[in-house]
């Protein structure tokens, strides 16, 4: 009897897949992730359905809760937009955390030391300072990358901790509130706080929500319909092609990274002038990293990022509710976020590759 | 003069204590990156090691099980990462960051839960278990003047870390599998053509690397935090380890030296008399990262191949795409 050859598989890259099919597939992956989270909860002796129900209620159950969820969505969505721009260019900006912080510091400077200005001047100035500070902070790794090929993943990552410690330094030292018992910065004067505007169905939320929505639209148009947006896509696809086509790659990288980091800086400004009303160590609060997950789940789409950022914020807000109601630690939100992303990252493989049995070699 | 010497030796001893978890994390990440994978999940794997080491130690009171579970927890985190990046070809940066978010979440969750269920709201490891981490008695060595207390009165985990560093150096430089591993990290296609099983090499080394990170976490929960669970227990030490990988230019022996330097930096402030120099704490904690940025920039300017990240890092290998 002839020996049967051992089973052997190999991978074949798929062609284009219909978009609807692909999104349905990703949705399945998210559902699978929520089920996995449910099994984890069941193993701890909770009823997953009750828990997920409480989570939704805690995040969206009342206008007050909805406002809190929106306030979480604003900085995360905005940061995601920034990160997305760099990722489109395959520039691994892992430094959003620090760029948020840089923007927050610069904005806070004006709030603390130029508060005599009228609000109509002060707030735009703070926003501008935030964008500039964030952008310049992001330009540093971009410049070294284009000039010397310095690894941007590692560089942007390290820069995070420099600027975060700078906040701690300012809070404990020069900017410390002399009146407070703790080492904390003073609250912003009234003129340096963002005004609130009613969001349909939800009520008053600081104007960051308008900025975020506008930015989503703007970024979508920028990437789809402008020359610069096209350049980013080409550089991201293949740097050599871009160079061959005569594109000034270096300039494009620097410009895009400035914009990417500037948007993150703006997110920092909105956070200090909006909900925080003072400069704290938690101004970035892990959003710079979460944003990487968001844009990846959203396949680098601006509208998708907004939706995913909202979903993550619902989870975060909902999980803080579970802590009070079921004594389930709020870190459940991080676990769920991790599981969802693991599942979607894994699922992506099956959209890109097909496993096929290896045919016998035609000897 | 004796006062000065006492102070200095106390400082050096504290520096060594602080360097151990950094060394575990750094060695783990060096091994991972040598396989051509950059795993941003060091922080997360340290968290996993810390919490499972803690829970098992708390529950069983056995040193062996504590260390083993810490190692396995870190390796399990690395397994998720390896499965995603090696088998499923997912993006390395995103997979690693997600592992950090996930590991941090799991650790804070389980640790918090253990505290809630503990009788007095605080979960402590037993004194008996922690006594295994007290300085070992190495006979005559430990009683040598000056260097005895400094070098030969440490816990078993300190010596394990040192041995791991030396062993990794020999493995990478002097062994056949070590050479193959470097080939996998630098040029997986060439390694594949040479007949090296690329995926298997990646899996094994990513997993062992994760296990080492897990041990770093165990050290933090047992020694640094005195066996008492605290939220956010790792507090960024995994990221310092990431920095150290660069600082050590991917060399295990330099990692030993580098972790000592970074460990010393982290405790230095407590040992300088305030009257001499008074540098704010935050600027001190900033220092390792500033130094790392400089190293990163300088090494890229000098373009010295042997001081760079392995060339295959960050790119997943897909044989059919050559």
């Amino acid at each position: 009897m002839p020996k049967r050859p051992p089973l052997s598989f190999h991978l074949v890259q798929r062609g284009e897949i219909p978009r609807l099919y692909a999104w349905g597939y990703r949705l399945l992956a998210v559902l699978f992730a929520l089920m996995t989270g449910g099994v984890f909860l069941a193993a701890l002796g909770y009823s997953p359905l009750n828990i997920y129900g409480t989570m939704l209620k805690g995040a969206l159950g009342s206008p007050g809760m909805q406002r809190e969820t929106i306030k979480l969505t604003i900085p995360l969505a905005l940061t995601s937009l920034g990160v997305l721009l760099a990722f489109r260019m395959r520039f691994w900006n892992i430094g959003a955390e620090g760029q948020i912080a840089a923007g927050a510091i610069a904005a806070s400077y004006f709030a603390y030391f130029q508060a005599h200005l009228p609000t109509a001047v002060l707030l735009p100035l703070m926003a501008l300072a935030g964008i500039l500070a964030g952008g310049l902070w992001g330009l540093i790794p971009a410049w070294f990358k284009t000039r010397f090929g310095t690894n941007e993943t590692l560089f942007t990552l390290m820069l995070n901790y420099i600027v975060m410690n700078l906040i701690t330094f300012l809070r404990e030292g020069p900017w410390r509130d002399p009146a407070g018992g703790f080492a904390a910065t003073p609250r912003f004067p009234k003129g340096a706080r963002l005004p609130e505007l009613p969001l349909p169905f939800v009520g008053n939320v600081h104007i960051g929500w308008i900025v975020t929505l506008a930015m989503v639209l703007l970024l979508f148009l920028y990437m789809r319909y402008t020359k610069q947006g096209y350049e980013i896509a080409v550089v991201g696809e293949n740097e050599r092609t871009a160079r061959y086509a005569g594109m000034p790659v270096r300039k494009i990288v620097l410009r895009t990274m400035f914009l990417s980091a500037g948007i993150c800086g703006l997110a920092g400004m909105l956070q200090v002038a909006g909900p925080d009303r003072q400069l704290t160590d938690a101004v970035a609060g892990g959003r710079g990293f979460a944003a990487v997950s968001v844009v990846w789940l959203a396949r680098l789409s601006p509208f998708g990022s907004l939706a995913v950022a909202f979903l993550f914020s619902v989870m975060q807000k909902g999980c803080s509710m579970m802590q009070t109601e079921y004594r389930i630690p709020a870190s459940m939100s991080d676990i769920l976020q991790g599981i969802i992303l693991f599942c979607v990252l894994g699922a992506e493989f099956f959209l890109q590759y097909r496993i096929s049995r290896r045919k016998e070699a035609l000897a | 003069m004796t006062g000065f010497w006492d102070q200095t030796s106390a400082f050096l001893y504290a520096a060594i204590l602080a360097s151990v978890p950094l060394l575990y994390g750094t060695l783990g990440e060096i091994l991972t990156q040598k396989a051509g994978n950059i795993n941003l999940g060091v922080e997360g794997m340290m968290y996993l090691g810390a919490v499972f080491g803690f829970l098992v130690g708390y529950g069983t009171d056995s040193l062996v099980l504590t260390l083993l579970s810490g190692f396995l927890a870190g390796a399990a985190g690395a397994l998720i990462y390896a499965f995603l990046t090696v088998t499923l070809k997912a993006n390395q940066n995103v997979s690693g960051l997600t592992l950090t978010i996930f590991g941090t979440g799991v650790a804070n969750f389980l640790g918090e839960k253990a505290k809630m269920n503990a009788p007095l709201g605080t979960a402590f490891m037993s004194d008996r278990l922690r006594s295994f981490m007290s300085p070992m008695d190495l006979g005559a060595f430990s009683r040598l003047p000056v260097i005895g207390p400094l070098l030969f009165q440490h816990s078993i985990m300190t010596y394990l870390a040192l041995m791991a560093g030396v062993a990794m150096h020999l493995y990478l430089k002097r062994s056949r599998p070590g050479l193959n591993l470097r080939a996998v990290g630098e040029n997986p296609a060439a390694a594949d053509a040479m007949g090296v099983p690329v995926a298997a090499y990646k899996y094994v080394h990513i997993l062992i690397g994760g296990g080492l990170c897990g041990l770093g976490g165990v050290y933090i929960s047992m020694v640094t935090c005195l066996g008492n669970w605290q939220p956010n227990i790792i507090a960024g030490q995994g990221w310092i380890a990431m920095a150290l990988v660069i600082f050590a230019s991917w060399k295990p022996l330099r990692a030993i030296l580098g972790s000592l330097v970074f460990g010393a930096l982290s405790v230095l402030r407590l040992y300088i008399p305030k009257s001499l120099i008074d540098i704010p704490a935050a600027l001190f904690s900033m220092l390792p990262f500033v130094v790392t940025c400089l190293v990163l920039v300088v090494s890229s300017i000098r373009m010295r191949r042997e001081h760079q990240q392995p060339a295959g890092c960050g790119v997943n290998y897909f044989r059919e795409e050559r």
Side-chain angles (χ1 to χ4, degrees):
Chain A
M1 210 168 85
K3 227 177 111 191
R4 282 184 53 184
L7 273 181
S8 142
F9 299 98
H10 72 144
L11 301 178
V12 184
Q13 221 150 5
R14 286 182 199 262
E16 277 295 301
I17 286 182
R19 277 181 64 167
L20 203 64
Y21 174 85
W23 280 109
Y25 196 79
R26 286 179 197 121
L27 201 66
L28 272 181
V30 173
L31 286 178
F32 178 76
L34 289 176
M35 270 163 60
T36 313
V39 170
F40 176 74
L41 286 169
L44 288 170
Y46 300 102
S47 147
L49 281 181
N50 279 349
I51 299 280
Y52 282 140
T54 310
M55 221 168 101
L56 274 180
K57 215 173 76 203
L60 305 168
S62 76
M65 289 163 178
Q66 290 165 6
R67 279 198 290 275
E68 289 307 311
T69 306
I70 298 290
K71 278 187 205 162
L72 290 174
T73 313
I74 292 169
L76 183 58
L78 209 53
T79 310
S80 304
L81 293 177
V83 169
L84 176 157
L85 205 52
F87 275 29
R88 281 258 172 140
M89 201 174 58
R90 298 239 176 126
F91 187 101
W92 300 111
N93 180 11
I94 314 288
E97 195 87 354
Q99 290 144 18
I100 295 172
I105 292 176
S108 300
Y109 166 78
F110 285 92
Y112 289 137
F113 299 103
Q114 307 294 333
H116 54 87
L117 296 167
T119 302
V121 180
L122 184 58
L123 282 177
L125 212 58
M126 284 167 67
L128 197 68
I131 293 170
L132 274 177
L136 290 176
W137 194 247
L139 262 189
I140 300 172
W143 189 83
F144 280 103
K145 163 89 175 178
T146 54
R147 185 75 182 72
F148 301 112
T150 311
N151 184 312
E152 82 275 19
T153 314
L154 302 174
F155 203 171
T156 49
L157 184 67
M158 295 303 135
L159 285 177
N160 286 338
Y161 297 95
I162 294 181
V163 67
M164 308 252 262
N165 278 305
L166 188 62
I167 292 192
T168 314
F169 164 71
L170 290 170
R171 173 175 64 76
E172 290 173 344
W175 289 9
R176 180 178 173 166
D177 184 3
F182 298 103
T185 51
R187 306 219 116 209
F188 279 12
K190 283 238 157 45
R193 297 181 188 173
L194 290 180
E196 296 190 339
L197 274 179
L199 176 71
F201 309 113
V202 174
N204 279 334
V205 181
H206 68 82
I207 55 164
W209 71 266
I210 301 183
V211 178
T212 307
L213 285 182
M215 199 60 95
V216 170
L217 193 65
L218 217 67
L219 212 67
F220 171 76
L221 296 175
Y222 177 73
M223 287 191 306
R224 176 158 287 197
Y225 295 111
T226 68
K227 180 174 158 232
Q228 296 191 358
Y230 179 68
E231 286 174 339
I232 293 172
V234 176
V235 172
E237 202 59 47
N238 192 334
E239 215 182 291
R240 261 183 245 164
T241 311
R243 209 161 266 139
Y244 186 68
M247 289 183 185
V249 173
R250 188 159 177 232
K251 200 178 120 194
I252 295 168
V253 171
L254 291 177
R255 183 183 64 209
T256 309
M257 213 16 224
F258 178 81
L259 290 176
S260 159
I263 296 175
C264 298
L266 180 63
M269 177 271 173
L270 291 176
Q271 188 63 23
V272 286
D276 288 0
R277 294 174 175 185
Q278 71 186 125
L279 183 64
T280 70
D281 293 18
V283 60
R287 291 190 190 95
F289 296 131
V292 173
S293 319
V294 170
V295 299
W296 208 256
L297 275 178
R299 309 288 302 157
L300 306 187
S301 132
F303 291 107
S305 297
L306 183 64
V308 176
F310 180 70
L311 177 79
F312 276 22
S313 302
V314 166
M315 272 177 3
Q316 199 189 338
K317 178 69 185 60
C319 284
S320 66
M321 179 79 171
M322 285 178 356
Q323 173 139 17
T324 47
E325 203 150 296
Y326 288 94
R327 290 178 26 108
I328 296 179
S331 31
M332 185 67 206
S333 153
D334 288 339
I335 302 181
L336 279 180
Q337 193 185 327
I339 297 178
I340 290 179
L341 211 70
F342 284 146
C343 290
V344 174
L345 277 167
E348 215 54 44
F349 170 80
F350 297 99
L351 287 174
Q352 280 180 26
Y353 301 97
R354 195 159 46 81
I355 302 175
S356 74
R357 281 273 298 278
R358 201 183 286 284
K359 299 262 172 17
E360 276 310 293
L362 301 165
Chain B
M1 204 55 207
T2 41
F4 173 75
W5 171 245
D6 284 348
Q7 188 76 353
T8 313
S9 85
F11 160 63
L12 290 175
Y13 194 81
I16 296 176
L17 285 185
S19 73
V20 176
L22 301 178
L23 182 55
Y24 276 110
T26 311
L27 290 175
E29 182 67 13
I30 288 180
L31 200 61
T32 307
Q33 294 201 11
K34 282 286 174 188
N37 276 58
I38 172 166
N39 187 348
L40 296 178
V42 176
E43 178 94 357
M45 294 185 291
M46 286 175 91
Y47 265 111
L48 288 172
V51 77
F52 281 98
F54 175 80
L55 291 177
V56 170
Y58 181 60
T60 66
D61 232 15
S62 144
L63 177 71
V64 176
L65 288 180
T66 304
L67 294 184
L68 193 69
S69 55
F71 184 89
L72 289 179
L79 179 64
I80 302 178
Y81 169 85
F83 180 64
L84 286 174
T85 57
V86 179
T87 303
L88 300 183
K89 323 253 179 253
N91 181 283
Q92 294 184 6
N93 291 333
V94 181
S95 304
L97 274 181
T98 307
L99 179 55
T100 287
I101 294 172
F102 177 74
T104 310
V106 169
N108 280 331
F109 185 94
L110 293 178
E112 196 61 39
K113 209 75 199 129
K115 269 178 113 167
M116 284 177 184
N117 295 339
L120 289 169
T122 46
F124 269 103
M125 281 173 157
S126 73
D127 289 338
R128 196 187 81 83
L129 180 60
R130 287 211 303 114
S131 71
F132 290 117
M133 285 295 148
S134 53
M136 285 167 79
D137 187 9
L138 298 175
F141 283 114
S142 303
R143 277 177 284 284
L144 285 172
V146 185
I147 57 165
L150 204 54
L151 297 182
F152 298 109
Q153 288 188 14
H154 285 279
S155 70
I156 183 167
M157 281 197 84
T158 310
Y159 297 116
L160 267 178
L162 278 174
M163 283 190 280
V166 175
M168 198 182 289
H169 167 77
L170 294 174
Y171 175 73
L172 289 172
K173 283 282 176 190
R174 299 258 181 277
S175 80
R176 188 75 212 179
L179 181 69
N180 289 344
L181 174 68
R182 284 188 287 149
V184 168
E186 294 291 344
N187 188 340
D192 195 9
M194 236 158 65
V196 177
V198 173
Y201 263 81
K202 281 182 178 263
Y203 262 98
V204 168
H205 294 96
I206 292 171
L207 257 63
I208 295 175
L212 286 173
C213 294
L215 284 179
V218 173
Y219 183 91
I220 290 175
S221 60
M222 276 188 92
V223 182
T224 314
C225 293
L226 306 173
N228 176 22
W229 183 261
Q230 297 166 9
N232 296 320
I233 197 165
I234 306 296
Q237 295 194 60
W239 297 116
I240 297 188
M242 281 309 289
L244 259 168
V245 173
I246 307 161
F247 184 80
S249 50
W250 291 267
K251 292 184 174 60
L253 291 185
R254 280 202 207 178
I256 297 177
L257 195 71
S259 61
L260 270 176
V261 172
F262 280 32
L265 278 180
S266 69
V267 295
L268 179 61
R269 206 181 63 88
L270 306 173
Y271 291 88
I272 306 182
K274 277 240 160 62
S275 53
L276 210 61
I277 329 168
D278 191 13
I279 302 175
L283 295 187
F284 248 109
S285 346
M286 190 192 284
L287 220 52
F289 300 106
V290 175
V291 173
T292 304
C293 283
L294 289 178
V295 171
L296 196 60
V297 166
V298 169
S299 66
S300 70
I301 291 175
R302 286 163 68 202
M303 285 293 282
R304 293 269 295 276
R305 264 306 306 146
E306 70 268 27
H307 290 169
Q308 302 272 331
Q309 194 179 34
C313 261
V315 188
N316 289 323
Y317 175 58
F318 178 42
R319 182 187 265 175
E320 258 94 327
E321 212 172 51
R322 272 180 302 181

